[in-house]
Amino acid sequence: MKKRWYKKSGLKGLMVCLTIVALVVGCVCGGASIWLMSKGIRPMDSRKYVDSERFTENMYETSHTILEALGETEILNESSKEDLVDLTELKEGKSLSNKNTSGLAYKAGDLTEWSKGSWDRSVNVLICRRPDSSDYYMYYNDFADKIISGELKFVWGSDEEKLSQEYTKDILSMLSGEEYAYYDDGYNYSGIRMDDVEYVEDADGNVVYTNIWNYEPSGNNDAALKEEYKPDGADSILDIVNNNKEWNGNLQKAYQYLYAALVKYNNAVDSKDVLDAYAQGNTNYKYLYVDTKTKKVYSNIKSVTFSNYKKIMTDIVDSNEAFMVIEPKQQDCMVGMENTLDQTLAYWQQMIENSGPAGENYIYCISADSAFPVLDYVAQEKTYYDKFEPWIMPLLILTGVGFILALIGLVILTIAAGKTNKDQEVHLNFFDRWYTEIAALLVFGIWIYGVAIMMQMMDSGDMRMAGYLVGMGILGIWSGAWFLMGWLSLVRRIKARSIWRDSVLRHVLLFIRKIFSKFADMIVFLSNNTVSRIKTIVAFGVFVFLLFMATGLFVGADIPFFLLVFVVTCWVALYYLLKKAWGREQILDGLKKITDGDLQYKIPTEKLFGEQKKIADYINHIGEGLDAAVENSLKNERMKTELITNVSHDIKTPLTSIINYVDLLKRENPEDPKIRGYLEVLENKAQRLKVLTEDVVEASKASTGNIALEMTDLNFIELVHQVIGEFEEKFEERNLTMVVHFDEEEAIICADGRRLWRVLENVFGNVSKYAMENTRVYVDVKVDRPNVQLSLKNISAQPLNISADELTERFIRGDVSRNTEGSGLGLSIAKDLVQLQGGEFRLYLDGDLFKVTIEFKMK
């Protein structure tokens, strides 16, 4: 296997560190670039600040602020402090007549001062319904004073309630709004409610109000305001709403108009402060706005008028200043800055037309002293620009290089993830074996939590560049570490094909499938309409029905009777289930004893009933049948063994005589060659019959275990060597080449030497008889503690169209034509003898390949 440098553990760790470092470089440099661009520095921008895109944006933003402020402050110029401002005219955008035309008007000076305050909205206003169904508005404090003084009083629905003075306090407390939140249903602590008040009467007993409730605004725009100044011709806004026909019943509308007026004047006051901030001497900007229709001129340049504004504009154009002169027609614009596009001028024209007080009838000029003598915002921005503009391109290049290197490192780590130079396996760590979704949520959750904290810390607008870059570096380290952890784990899971195997979703789907499988099994179980299952279902149904009836009795009868029925029903069901469980235990105990070999055991059936008693009877008869069958089988096996032994003994007696007489005849040295040939054939067949008889006896004893073994410590490898030496000549006669491989380690086993020799002799003899000539025979002895294994492989001369199990049966031979001198018992005897000595004997056939393995435990 070719070794790769990137698969080494140390280099992979170094690559992780370098990748994170590259990512940190990219984040820090990228963060620095973003910070610089937030300060107005743009890549590929002009080196001169007044020709930069940011300076043009700054002039645009400043112009927008100034023009909106000019429009907002117009209301302060339309009226003097003592002039009246009608709220309807103001709300509907009409020209101010400085008269009270709608009935609701305030002095301009009062609105200006009022707008600077906090606008107290905690005023409590009551709506009182008159007998004629009209509404009268009153402040709560005024109403409470009249109730307490006796000028007004509550009339209750009964004389008993009329006697209680506490009820009056409770009603006032509810109307005050202070404790009303404690009784959402309209009740107070004494149990009194607003419906108990029939009406309110005056001191003379006249009905004044039929109902009272609190005024509830729909929002801030129509909320009740504490009146710091009085409206024209009235003490309060409630007086106007109560007495003016136009405003009667429109308290919500009155508050909306008042709120709108205060907002408008408040904006005007704030805008005036803005214009003061851009006054000459406070800023490097000079602006000039001319209303060509009304001939009004707005500017922070002193002594400018409609008659001389053109000269002043000419002086600005001729001076060494950055300027813009904007008129409604694009071709009339003049720009004293570079890199200003026609599209930019169109934006300026649209902004000025929408923001300025003159609409489309304007001429606008703004300029900035290129020396920036005043230390205002634009001068500070120029300082930042001149200092950091040379940094922006190198930082962007470093950002790209850092991210590219991080990407290269990520690619290398992705290729090497899970791989080593030792093998081709994919190696997973502890985290890779977590459930896929849980691991993903953990990595993403911790990462996003850390990012959120860092972004919250870095979101401070006052953070300096050093702190911002440190934050970006920490963010890069945090993101890189968690991203690599999650990404490389994902890659290893994909390579190991465990991403779905370890998925929570897969386990959930398997669980659902298992549930459906169990449900299907239950349906199949219930579909078989056996008597037992039908009885069980019916019994359970009766039990459920009884419980249902008991529940019904509980609803309609006394609790003690219900409890009695419930307890009796439960005890009956419990007794039945326990009885069935005891019966199952008796049957299981009997089955265990019979399985363990006690075939004479009988399950007691006296206390069993129903199906359980029938099952126990059947099991008892099964035990009797098994006992008889086992006894009969043992008897037959003994008879077969005795028959084989007796027949073999009877055959061996005359066979011994035949062999002896053949030997005597050969000693007479008959001269006739034909007679000598007959004697050789007779001797060979007799010897073969003798071997067959001995094999039959040996196979019978081995299969029944009727052999006395003499177990001793043997050197298994040395014994195999000896057997190979015995069969070396036979293998050479058939041109069989042995390829031998032995482990050098000594292998001592506990076995019967004579029987194990017989096993090896049978196995090697089988190879010498049935192996294809001119082929190789492989003999391997491998020590694999705690076992030692002999493996013997060869190619069969005849096709092996039978299974390995058949080949170990008695009288089965690989030579179908039965031309070789074999009994068909060799492998069967070898297998039985190996198993008697505690070893394992296995055959393997694959086409003409024959393989036998013998394995013993080492001492």
Side-chain angles (χ1 to χ4, degrees):
M1 183 178 66
K2 190 174 182 180
K3 296 184 181 296
R4 303 289 184 178
W5 63 270
Y6 53 80
K7 292 184 180 180
K8 295 181 180 179
S9 299
L11 289 178
K12 284 197 285 187
L14 179 61
M15 186 59 65
V16 169
C17 295
L18 292 177
T19 301
I20 293 177
V21 169
L23 184 62
V24 170
V25 170
C27 289
V28 171
C29 294
S33 302
I34 294 173
W35 190 85
L36 292 177
M37 285 189 284
S38 69
K39 299 301 180 181
I41 302 173
R42 299 289 186 270
M44 307 299 291
D45 208 348
S46 173
R47 291 296 298 272
K48 190 175 180 181
Y49 175 66
V50 294
D51 294 328
S52 68
E53 180 183 347
R54 177 55 190 164
F55 178 69
T56 305
E57 292 175 358
N58 200 317
M59 291 187 71
Y60 181 91
E61 294 167 0
T62 302
S63 299
H64 186 265
T65 301
I66 292 172
L67 292 173
E68 281 195 334
L70 292 176
E72 295 286 352
T73 56
E74 274 295 282
I75 190 174
L76 299 178
N77 302 325
E78 291 181 8
S79 307
S80 64
K81 293 184 177 180
E82 297 298 324
D83 289 338
L84 292 177
V85 176
D86 187 87
L87 298 191
T88 301
E89 294 178 350
L90 188 65
K91 183 70 170 59
E92 295 177 358
K94 298 178 181 178
S95 298
L96 296 180
S97 62
N98 294 330
K99 296 179 181 179
N100 186 353
T101 58
S102 67
L104 182 58
Y106 288 86
K107 291 181 179 179
D110 293 345
L111 290 175
T112 301
E113 295 300 321
W114 194 355
S115 68
K116 298 177 182 179
S118 58
W119 309 355
D120 187 356
R121 296 182 177 88
S122 62
V123 179
N124 189 358
V125 176
L126 301 181
I127 303 176
C128 305
R129 179 63 53 85
R130 294 166 173 164
D132 61 357
S133 298
S134 62
D135 292 334
Y136 185 82
Y137 301 96
M138 188 182 304
Y139 289 114
Y140 166 78
N141 292 335
D142 295 339
F143 179 81
D145 290 342
K146 290 182 179 182
I147 291 291
I148 294 172
S149 65
E151 184 178 347
L152 297 175
K153 64 180 178 178
F154 296 117
V155 177
W156 309 97
S158 65
D159 294 337
E160 181 180 354
E161 292 174 350
K162 192 180 296 185
L163 298 176
S164 176
Q165 295 298 324
E166 293 296 326
Y167 291 169
T168 298
K169 295 180 180 179
D170 292 337
I171 292 296
L172 288 177
S173 178
M174 294 173 65
L175 291 174
S176 70
E178 296 177 359
E179 300 182 11
Y180 189 71
Y182 290 99
Y183 13 90
D184 297 333
D185 57 353
Y187 290 85
N188 59 10
Y189 294 117
S190 63
I192 197 68
R193 58 182 182 176
M194 290 301 301
D195 292 344
D196 293 326
V197 178
E198 189 171 355
Y199 54 85
V200 178
E201 64 181 13
D202 58 15
D204 298 330
N206 300 317
V207 177
V208 182
Y209 309 120
T210 60
N211 198 3
I212 302 172
W213 66 92
N214 294 85
Y215 168 73
E216 296 182 3
S218 58
N220 287 335
N221 291 354
D222 56 357
L225 296 173
K226 182 179 180 180
E227 298 191 58
E228 298 183 9
Y229 298 92
K230 297 179 181 180
D232 180 52
D235 291 333
S236 69
I237 195 172
L238 298 186
D239 290 343
I240 294 177
V241 174
N242 288 328
N243 301 317
N244 189 291
K245 293 183 179 180
E246 184 174 348
W247 288 98
N248 187 255
N250 290 324
L251 179 62
Q252 187 177 32
K253 178 181 177 181
Y255 277 129
Q256 287 177 351
Y257 280 32
L258 176 59
Y259 182 82
L262 292 176
V263 169
K264 200 170 185 66
Y265 272 89
N266 180 261
N267 291 339
V269 171
D270 292 342
S271 296
K272 186 176 184 303
D273 294 337
V274 170
L275 294 178
D276 291 342
Y278 283 101
Q280 190 173 11
N282 294 334
T283 179
N284 291 294
Y285 284 118
K286 290 186 287 186
Y287 68 88
L288 177 63
Y289 181 82
V290 180
D291 186 341
T292 57
K293 184 176 182 180
T294 62
K295 298 183 179 180
K296 287 184 178 181
V297 178
Y298 307 87
S299 177
N300 64 347
I301 303 173
K302 295 180 179 179
S303 303
V304 61
T305 62
F306 186 79
S307 58
N308 66 359
Y309 81 88
K310 291 183 179 180
K311 179 180 181 305
I312 293 176
M313 287 177 57
T314 302
D315 294 339
I316 291 174
V317 171
D318 295 338
S319 66
N320 186 24
E321 294 184 358
F323 69 90
M324 295 189 75
V325 177
I326 310 296
E327 296 187 45
K329 294 182 180 180
Q330 186 170 333
Q331 57 267 25
D332 293 334
C333 299
M334 291 186 292
V335 180
M337 299 175 294
E338 297 179 3
N339 303 323
T340 304
L341 305 177
D342 291 342
Q343 185 178 10
T344 303
L345 297 175
Y347 283 136
W348 277 76
Q349 290 172 325
Q350 185 178 5
M351 179 271 293
I352 296 170
E353 182 176 339
N354 294 332
S355 302
E360 60 182 7
N361 305 306
Y362 70 87
I363 296 176
Y364 178 71
C365 174
I366 185 170
S367 66
D369 190 342
S370 300
F372 297 99
V374 180
L375 187 61
D376 60 358
Y377 173 78
V378 67
Q380 293 177 352
E381 191 172 84
K382 178 183 181 300
T383 302
Y384 274 115
Y385 185 90
D386 293 340
K387 182 178 180 180
F388 294 113
E389 192 275 336
W391 293 14
I392 187 70
M393 285 308 297
L395 286 173
L396 288 175
I397 293 172
L398 285 175
T399 301
V401 170
F403 284 125
I404 290 173
L405 291 176
L407 181 61
I408 293 173
L410 180 63
V411 172
I412 295 174
L413 289 172
T414 301
I415 296 173
K419 297 290 187 178
T420 65
N421 284 318
K422 296 180 180 180
D423 51 42
Q424 294 296 327
E425 298 294 326
V426 178
H427 298 273
L428 301 178
N429 58 31
F430 170 74
F431 181 71
D432 298 337
R433 292 181 174 85
W434 287 24
Y435 287 122
T436 303
E437 293 86 348
I438 294 177
L441 289 174
L442 176 69
V443 171
F444 182 76
I446 295 178
W447 172 75
I448 199 67
Y449 178 75
V451 170
I453 293 177
M454 290 303 303
M455 294 303 292
Q456 186 176 5
M457 294 174 60
M458 294 166 58
D459 196 34
S460 175
D462 297 332
M463 178 174 283
R464 295 185 178 274
M465 185 176 184
Y468 183 81
L469 295 184
V470 170
M472 290 299 296
I474 296 174
L475 184 62
I477 295 174
W478 180 266
S479 299
W482 283 104
F483 174 77
L484 285 178
M485 180 178 177
W487 172 256
L488 295 180
S489 177
L490 175 64
V491 171
R492 288 190 292 267
R493 291 167 188 262
I494 293 174
K495 290 182 178 180
R497 299 181 180 179
S498 65
I499 189 168
W500 174 246
R501 183 189 64 202
D502 295 336
S503 171
V504 174
L505 178 61
R506 174 178 173 270
H507 286 79
V508 170
L509 294 177
L510 289 176
F511 179 73
I512 293 174
R513 188 177 72 176
K514 187 176 181 180
I515 291 176
F516 277 103
S517 177
K518 295 294 183 182
F519 183 71
D521 293 342
M522 185 180 68
I523 294 176
V524 173
F525 175 83
L526 296 176
S527 64
N528 298 325
N529 295 319
T530 61
V531 176
S532 174
R533 295 167 191 175
I534 293 175
K535 286 182 179 179
T536 303
I537 295 172
V538 171
F540 181 74
V542 170
F543 176 70
V544 173
F545 176 75
L546 291 176
L547 284 181
F548 178 77
M549 292 298 294
T551 305
L553 292 173
F554 167 71
V555 174
D558 295 334
I559 294 178
F561 180 76
F562 160 74
L563 292 176
L564 177 62
V565 174
F566 185 83
V567 170
V568 170
T569 304
C570 291
W571 272 109
V572 170
L574 180 61
Y575 174 81
Y576 175 81
L577 294 175
L578 290 176
K579 186 72 174 177
K580 296 288 284 186
W582 179 85
R584 286 195 299 270
E585 291 173 1
Q586 298 300 311
I587 294 173
L588 289 173
D589 185 63
L591 286 172
K592 184 177 183 303
K593 291 182 178 180
I594 294 173
T595 303
D596 293 339
D598 188 2
L599 301 179
Q600 302 299 328
Y601 181 80
K602 297 292 186 290
I603 300 174
T605 60
E606 294 80 11
K607 296 183 179 181
L608 299 178
F609 61 95
E611 290 182 347
Q612 291 184 344
K613 187 171 184 179
K614 290 182 180 179
I615 293 171
D617 288 335
Y618 290 149
I619 293 173
N620 290 338
H621 287 87
I622 288 174
E624 295 173 0
L626 286 174
D627 192 15
V630 170
E631 181 64 29
N632 188 44
S633 176
L634 292 175
K635 182 179 179 181
N636 291 337
E637 192 65 30
R638 285 195 299 269
M639 289 178 65
K640 291 179 182 179
T641 303
E642 290 174 1
L643 176 62
I644 292 171
T645 304
N646 292 335
V647 171
S648 299
H649 184 269
D650 291 342
I651 292 174
K652 286 178 67 177
T653 301
L655 184 60
T656 303
S657 298
I658 292 171
I659 293 172
N660 290 337
Y661 279 105
V662 169
D663 185 55
L664 291 173
L665 287 173
K666 289 177 69 177
R667 290 179 184 179
E668 294 297 330
N669 293 321
E671 297 180 358
D672 189 347
K674 185 179 293 186
I675 292 175
R676 291 187 67 85
Y678 291 158
L679 287 174
E680 289 179 1
V681 172
L682 185 60
E683 184 182 22
N684 289 337
K685 299 304 179 183
Q687 290 294 339
R688 181 178 177 184
L689 183 57
K690 181 182 178 181
V691 172
L692 177 59
T693 305
E694 291 174 351
D695 285 349
V696 170
V697 174
E698 188 77 15
S700 177
K701 292 180 180 181
S703 63
T704 58
N706 190 19
I707 295 178
L709 299 175
E710 297 179 4
M711 306 295 284
T712 59
D713 291 345
L714 300 174
N715 189 327
F716 186 64
I717 296 178
E718 184 178 341
L719 187 62
V720 175
H721 271 298
Q722 293 175 6
V723 175
I724 291 174
E726 288 287 334
F727 282 86
E728 191 170 357
E729 292 183 3
K730 293 183 180 181
F731 281 15
E732 290 178 355
E733 290 176 1
R734 302 197 63 206
N735 294 322
L736 297 175
T737 304
M738 277 198 294
V739 180
V740 183
H741 178 267
F742 291 86
D743 283 352
E744 296 179 359
E745 187 177 354
E746 189 180 55
I748 304 300
I749 65 172
C750 183
D752 186 324
R754 186 167 64 89
R755 304 296 180 184
L756 187 55
W757 179 273
R758 177 66 187 275
V759 170
L760 297 176
E761 187 179 37
N762 287 2
V763 172
F764 279 86
N766 188 75
V767 173
S768 67
K769 293 175 185 177
Y770 302 113
M772 180 182 290
E773 294 185 4
N774 300 314
T775 58
R776 285 181 290 273
V777 178
Y778 294 89
V779 182
D780 294 323
V781 178
K782 181 179 181 182
V783 176
D784 186 11
R785 291 186 179 275
N787 298 330
V788 59
Q789 184 184 86
L790 166 66
S791 174
L792 190 63
K793 294 182 287 186
N794 67 276
I795 302 299
S796 175
Q798 300 293 330
L800 297 176
N801 55 358
I802 58 177
S803 65
D805 292 335
E806 289 182 272
L807 201 56
T808 55
E809 294 293 330
R810 298 176 188 175
F811 306 108
I812 299 296
R813 296 161 61 184
D815 180 10
V816 180
S817 61
R818 307 183 75 86
N819 292 325
T820 55
E821 294 184 358
S823 63
L825 296 171
L827 293 179
S828 177
I829 293 171
K831 180 179 180 182
D832 291 336
L833 289 176
V834 170
Q835 291 176 347
L836 286 173
Q837 296 175 80
E840 291 187 15
F841 185 95
R842 294 185 294 271
L843 287 182
Y844 175 78
L845 302 179
D846 187 1
D848 295 337
L849 174 65
F850 173 85
K851 177 181 178 182
V852 60
T853 59
I854 299 173
E855 187 171 342
F856 285 97
K857 284 192 177 295
M858 297 174 55
K859 292 197 66 175

